[in-house]
Amino acid sequence: VKQLLGYDTKVKEYDLREFLEALGMCGHPDALEALMQVKDHALAHHRSWEWYSAVGRVDTAEAGSVLLEALFDEDRKKGGHSDRDFCGVVARIADSHSSLRARVLELVKADDPGKRSILASVVAQSRSEQLLNECLALPAGPLNHFKPAITQMLQYVCVDERPIEGQGGAFEREPR
């Protein structure tokens, strides 16, 4: 990873997109740190989507936290990328990392009107039964604001995930 950071970016054959993809997919423990070091360079060269995608591919709680904070960054919003795409990546990472899931729930409980719609999109795209249970236990204020998102997540967890044709495949799922 450190060798990639030393790569001469002024060479004609240099492709920032491939560089970011390699960092995101390498699986090295320092990949997120390396991506953080090249963030300004990537954003200056109009590769914000590639940078955020690479961070999402790192698939750690720390990477999810970086993306969660970026969801509320005004500069990222100017890039014209869909909040839904970013929210989906954050939701996917939060589903497998309890610390990020706890951070999302903490923000939901804070019920900040400026963050509400983005957090609702993260909740709606989550496939975590744990987050669903925690959202259903929210106090009345936040619960009312997040009802559509919770309904969407509930539909996925309880209906969409079930086998389509009768009992086919039902025995491959863990009982609830």
Side-chain angles (χ1 to χ4, degrees), residues 4-166:
L4 284 174
L5 283 175
Y7 191 70
D8 184 6
T9 60
K10 295 180 176 106
V11 176
K12 187 175 182 180
E13 293 82 30
Y14 171 77
D15 185 357
L16 183 57
R17 183 179 300 134
E18 290 176 7
F19 175 74
L20 294 171
E21 185 177 343
L23 281 175
M25 296 175 67
C26 73
H28 195 279
D30 293 337
L32 181 60
E33 178 186 339
L35 283 165
M36 296 305 291
Q37 290 178 17
V38 298
K39 177 181 180 181
D40 293 335
H41 178 76
L43 300 183
H45 287 86
H46 308 287
R47 294 291 181 224
S48 61
W49 175 250
E50 289 85 352
W51 186 84
Y52 290 116
S53 294
V55 171
R57 284 190 194 105
V58 173
D59 201 28
T60 62
E62 294 79 19
S65 292
V66 167
L67 292 176
L68 181 61
E69 295 307 317
L71 279 170
F72 309 112
D73 183 13
E74 291 300 319
D75 290 335
R76 186 204 53 84
K77 291 180 183 180
K78 293 176 188 171
H81 302 297
S82 166
D83 283 344
R84 182 170 170 72
D85 295 336
F86 286 97
C87 291
V89 174
V90 172
R92 178 184 53 78
I93 296 172
D95 287 349
S96 55
H97 296 282
S98 61
S99 61
L100 183 60
R101 194 168 47 248
R103 177 70 179 130
V104 168
L105 189 63
E106 178 184 314
L107 290 169
V108 167
K109 285 179 181 176
D111 201 23
D112 180 348
K115 297 179 178 180
R116 205 176 278 153
S117 67
I118 290 174
L119 289 169
S121 184
V122 171
V123 168
Q125 294 184 62
S126 174
R127 303 302 179 235
S128 166
E129 288 186 43
Q130 292 170 334
L131 183 60
L132 174 62
N133 288 332
E134 292 165 347
C135 285
L136 291 172
L138 286 170
L143 182 63
N144 287 333
H145 294 122
F146 287 91
K147 278 182 184 176
I150 294 169
T151 301
Q152 190 174 348
M153 184 174 33
L154 188 61
Q155 178 182 350
Y156 177 83
V157 170
C158 296
V159 179
D160 295 348
E161 195 176 87
R162 297 291 181 228
I164 295 174
E165 299 177 11

